Amino acid sequence: MSEYENLLIEHRDALTIVTINRPKALNALNSATLTELGSALDALAGDRHTRVVIVTGGGEKAFVAGADITEMRSLSPEGGREFARRGQRVFAQLEELPQPVIAAVNGFALGGGCELAMACDIRIAAENARFAQPETGLGITPGFGGTQRLRRLVGPGRAKELLFTGDTIDAAEAVRIGLADRLVPAGGAMAAAVAMAEKIAAKGAAATRYTKVAVQRGADMNLAAATAYEAEVFALCFADPEQAQRMGDFVDKRPPRRT
Ligand code: DAK
């Protein structure tokens, strides 16, 4: 039995699949789910066996239909602050996870759900996936990074249009504007995510982690600082036994081996 009430955690060799599992509420994020997600991410951050993480939603209809509106509606300003802090901590943990994280977006990704997908490294959208930031229609601002990550992914004009209008876009449009990275048939998001994750997991584990950190950190630096940082992580690879093994395999014409 899972140690969580609202999450399923499945380890498949070097992959770990995290399923937000409240299908009756379209996987809406209540505070209990956010707390559980924080604990699961803590465990994953220290899990050397997991090379790639996949995040998805339970059931057929939704990835995550947002923060839980029934819980949010009666928040006091104090409670709102606490909810915001807890959520933002969890979303930062997700973004900072050392392993690559793939979102398998299998349905509605609205509000906090769209933000959850955006905090992942790569988004695979099934044809039936729908994306929106409907918060202003509920009289609130997005609070799990939506005003920031959306602009970085799609540019200011498109981000503001989606944020101001709350319009829902389909998976093809999400891919067209850069909000999602891959379009797959309905029902195919998990299979596509697993196939991609297996490819990633077959590469050097430390090299993959360093590559992620270089892309993430470099985004907030100027080019000179970012390429200097890139040189440092490149140097670190030569302290990792996998580099010697993988380069030796190439030179000696052996297939690459995973350590
Ligand atoms: N919260 C709670 N329950 C939800 C929910 C949500 N976000 N979305 C759906 N549900 C529940 C419905 O109430 C319904 O429950 P029962 O009536 O069966 O008990 C069940 O899930 C099935 O939903 P529907 O019956 O509505 O299903 P439909 O197929 O008819 O419609 C829908 C699907 C996704 C179009 C519709 O459910 C919908 O519009 N849902 C709300 C989507 C939404 O507005 N999401 C954004 C929520 S706002 C912040 C941090 C975070 C946020 C803001 C600030 N700070 C840190 C400052 C985030 C805000 C949001 O995410």
Side-chain angles (χ1 to χ4, degrees):
M1 207 174 93
S2 169
E3 62 185 294
Y4 299 114
E5 212 176 301
N6 306 301
L7 297 184
L8 298 173
I9 307 290
E10 184 191 347
H11 299 287
R12 283 195 203 171
D13 190 19
L15 321 182
T16 296
I17 301 171
V18 177
T19 303
I20 315 291
N21 195 40
R22 300 181 68 214
K24 282 190 185 143
L26 303 186
N27 306 319
L29 297 173
N30 58 6
S31 39
T33 307
L34 285 173
T35 302
E36 291 186 0
L37 189 55
S39 305
L41 294 172
D42 265 343
L44 281 170
D47 174 0
R48 305 302 293 183
H49 189 69
T50 294
R51 290 177 173 227
V52 185
V53 176
I54 297 172
V55 176
T56 195
E60 309 284 300
K61 254 175 98 168
F63 175 69
V64 165
D68 191 311
I69 299 169
T70 42
E71 190 182 86
M72 260 193 313
R73 65 187 288 221
S74 51
L75 284 178
S76 62
E78 279 301 300
R81 188 173 300 116
E82 172 48 30
F83 182 73
R85 285 190 177 146
R86 184 182 313 196
Q88 287 174 349
R89 254 195 321 269
V90 172
F91 279 56
Q93 263 178 295
L94 178 62
E95 193 166 60
E96 298 289 315
L97 214 59
Q99 301 93 337
V101 184
I102 302 170
V105 185
N106 53 323
F108 291 112
L110 309 179
C114 187
E115 292 168 305
L116 185 72
M118 290 193 288
C120 298
D121 296 305
I122 299 163
R123 284 151 292 283
I124 296 179
E127 261 170 10
N128 61 314
R130 297 289 178 272
F131 297 81
Q133 294 291 157
E135 285 87 345
T136 53
L138 293 163
I140 56 173
T141 57
F144 292 150
T147 59
Q148 303 310 308
R149 292 193 182 96
L150 187 60
R151 177 182 61 73
R152 285 167 169 77
L153 285 172
V154 306
R158 283 179 179 140
K160 286 175 186 165
E161 181 183 344
L162 288 169
L163 291 163
F164 296 161
T165 64
D167 279 354
T168 300
I169 58 170
D170 65 18
E173 176 68 357
V175 170
R176 195 184 70 78
I177 66 174
L179 172 53
D181 305 294
R182 263 300 183 97
L183 179 63
V184 298
M190 181 50 69
V194 168
M196 186 186 287
E198 283 173 346
K199 263 192 218 172
I200 297 170
K203 308 296 185 199
T208 302
R209 289 173 180 226
Y210 293 149
T211 300
K212 172 168 172 173
V213 94
V215 175
Q216 310 268 95
R217 292 279 172 277
D220 298 325
M221 297 176 187
N222 64 41
L223 188 61
T227 49
Y229 189 81
E230 185 184 67
E232 293 306 315
V233 297
F234 178 73
L236 282 176
C237 296
F238 293 85
D240 188 85
E242 223 172 345
Q243 169 273 326
Q245 180 192 299
R246 283 174 176 265
M247 289 193 174
D249 284 343
F250 175 80
V251 171
D252 297 336
K253 303 196 184 307
R254 285 188 300 265
R257 287 166 293 158
R258 209 173 88 183
T259 49

